[in-house]
Structures are given as C-alpha cells and as structure tokens.
Amino acid sequence: MCIAHDRYVMTRPFSLCIYCITILFLLSACHNKQKEKNNTEMSEADEKEYLADSLLNNIKALSSLYKDWTNAYKEKDAHFSLDSFEYLSEYNDEFLNSSFTPDKNFYKKYGPLLVYNFDSTKFIDLFSYYLVLNINKNGKVTSGGTEADQEVAVIDKKTNTRYRVFFCGTPCFVAKASWLDNEKIVLFGLTTEDGDDNYTPTIWLIDLRTASTTEYNYNKSINELSPDELLERILRSKGIK
C-alpha cells in the first residue's frame, strides 16, 4: 500500500506538468496564428495603398489632363500640387445603365463639355444631368442654373448605352474628367463635410472594368474656390453664359 501511494504522489506532479506545458503550447500557437493573421491583413492594406499611390503617380505624370484644374487652385494656393494628395479610400459601386437617346439639341448644348476617349467611340458626360442649358433666339447656348445632384456618365456610342459611373449631391462637385485609357477615367473636383463651406480638392479614379473607385484628397481645404466659381470658369472657357 505504501509503495502504491508513493507512485501516485510521484506521478501526479508529472502529469500536471505535462498538462500545463500542453496548455501553454496551445495558447502560444493561437497567439502566433492571430499575429500571423494580423500581419497578413496589414500587408493587404499596405498593398492596396501602395497600388493606389502608383495609380496616382500615373495621373501626376500626365499634367495635360488636369493643368487647367490645378491652375485654378494655384491662384488660391501657390503651393497646390498633386504631390499633396493622399489616398483616402477605395470602393465598388454598381453602374446603372440605360439606353442613350439624346434629344435633337443635346450635342449643340452639351457637345463642348463632353470628353471623348482616344478613338471617339465613348465619351464622359459630366453636366447634362446637373446643368440646365438653353438655346436662346440667337442660337447661343446659355446657362439656366443647376440641379442639386450631379451624375457622371460614360456613353458607349457603339451600343447607345449610358452608364452612370459616379453620382453625388451637394457634398461634392466634379469639375473635370479625363481618360487614362479605355478602361480608366479620372475625375477632378471637390468634396465638403456635411455640405459646409470647407472645400477639399478631390480626385476620383474610376476603373470601368471593375466598377471600382479610388478617392484621393488634398491635405487641406481651399474654401476660396467654390463649386459655383469652378463651374463659372468652365462655362466661360466654352463660351457659355
């Protein structure tokens, strides 16, 4: 009996030790797995931001696409530059499509404001949804005011299809659009917080193939250049009063 008792006393601490080591091993494995997961998620976020920065660098290299837009801002901020834009977010949005059946005066009124791709098979329409244009008795195009919301559409002339690729209300305004290639367009404008007067210059890069939008913001607001003033500059450059 004494011998059996001694064996039990010796075995119990040993079993307890093995149990503790096993628990510590499992906890360590779970911790390492969670740490590895966090590192993977972080690297994916870093990779997305790195790609966004690369796309912005592609835009920077093509100054002819945005020169007039940046010149307007440089009048208010001499240091204004695309180098001071930062990646904000990327999101996907379903494009709405409809048949394109313009009225007989569509091209006379909005033609100077349309932005065609390289082979003129598609064009970007920034203003026909937002801006009311009229033709006076002398045949001149005149402005009749604006709507509350702005739609940016891409029209495929081969299929007569209109794709809504961007839409916003008073918190934003798109002043200019350009083609990077047949699958990507870039929009230049501004955003505001809750519709206030803190106007932040903003760039949107839209991939037409993936229906994804990447947004970049300037590092500060430039309140001296409002949507109304930007629009007035655009219309004046096209001879529209």
Side-chain angles (χ1 to χ4, degrees):
M1 291 294 293
C2 292
I3 293 174
H5 176 73
D6 290 342
R7 287 178 179 174
Y8 175 76
V9 171
M10 293 175 64
T11 303
R12 186 177 179 184
F14 179 76
S15 300
L16 183 61
C17 183
I18 294 295
Y19 175 76
C20 292
I21 290 173
T22 302
I23 293 298
L24 289 172
F25 175 79
L26 291 174
L27 289 174
S28 177
C30 290
H31 175 74
N32 290 336
K33 187 174 182 180
Q34 183 63 40
K35 185 177 180 181
E36 182 180 346
K37 181 181 178 182
N38 290 339
N39 288 338
T40 301
E41 290 175 349
M42 182 64 70
S43 64
E44 288 175 355
D46 289 343
E47 183 178 353
K48 180 180 287 188
E49 186 166 350
Y50 176 79
L51 178 60
D53 289 342
S54 298
L55 293 171
L56 181 59
N57 286 333
N58 291 341
I59 298 171
K60 291 179 187 177
L62 301 169
S63 60
S64 60
L65 300 182
Y66 55 84
K67 187 175 181 180
D68 51 349
W69 182 70
T70 55
N71 284 346
Y73 274 107
K74 284 181 178 179
E75 292 178 15
K76 310 297 182 180
D77 177 2
H79 301 290
F80 184 82
S81 169
L82 263 64
D83 292 331
S84 297
F85 278 77
E86 299 173 348
Y87 167 75
L88 180 65
S89 65
E90 180 182 342
Y91 54 89
N92 289 78
D93 199 5
E94 183 179 356
F95 294 161
L96 301 179
N97 65 80
S98 59
S99 61
F100 177 62
T101 53
D103 63 47
K104 63 178 183 179
N105 290 320
F106 175 83
Y107 288 103
K108 181 174 179 59
K109 290 189 291 187
Y110 295 100
L113 299 169
L114 304 178
V115 183
Y116 286 84
N117 66 343
F118 304 103
D119 60 5
S120 298
T121 57
K122 300 176 183 178
F123 62 80
I124 305 168
D125 177 10
L126 285 180
F127 295 114
S128 69
Y129 186 96
Y130 172 73
L131 177 64
V132 178
L133 294 180
N134 301 310
I135 301 175
N136 65 20
K137 61 181 180 180
N138 298 319
K140 299 291 185 179
V141 178
T142 62
S143 175
T146 61
E147 302 292 345
D149 302 321
Q150 184 177 14
E151 174 189 271
V152 177
V154 170
I155 286 77
D156 187 328
K157 294 175 66 178
K158 289 183 177 179
T159 61
N160 288 322
T161 305
R162 178 185 182 89
Y163 298 91
R164 177 197 281 185
V165 299
F166 187 81
F167 186 86
C168 68
T170 52
C172 68
F173 172 69
V174 182
K176 184 176 179 61
S178 298
W179 292 86
L180 290 181
D181 55 42
N182 275 331
E183 300 295 342
K184 293 185 181 68
I185 65 172
V186 59
L187 311 178
F188 303 91
L190 56 82
T191 53
T192 66
E193 291 293 335
D194 301 321
D196 60 21
D197 292 336
N198 293 317
Y199 302 122
T200 303
T202 305
I203 297 171
W204 298 271
L205 176 64
I206 300 176
D207 190 319
L208 303 177
R209 181 178 54 84
T210 62
S212 64
T213 300
T214 306
E215 183 174 338
Y216 307 87
N217 275 0
Y218 192 53
N219 60 8
K220 64 178 181 179
S221 299
I222 301 180
N223 302 334
E224 295 82 2
L225 197 56
S226 68
D228 289 341
E229 185 175 345
L230 274 172
L231 180 60
E232 185 181 346
R233 285 170 176 261
I234 295 164
L235 297 182
R236 191 165 59 240
S237 71
K238 302 299 182 180
I240 300 172
K241 297 181 180 180

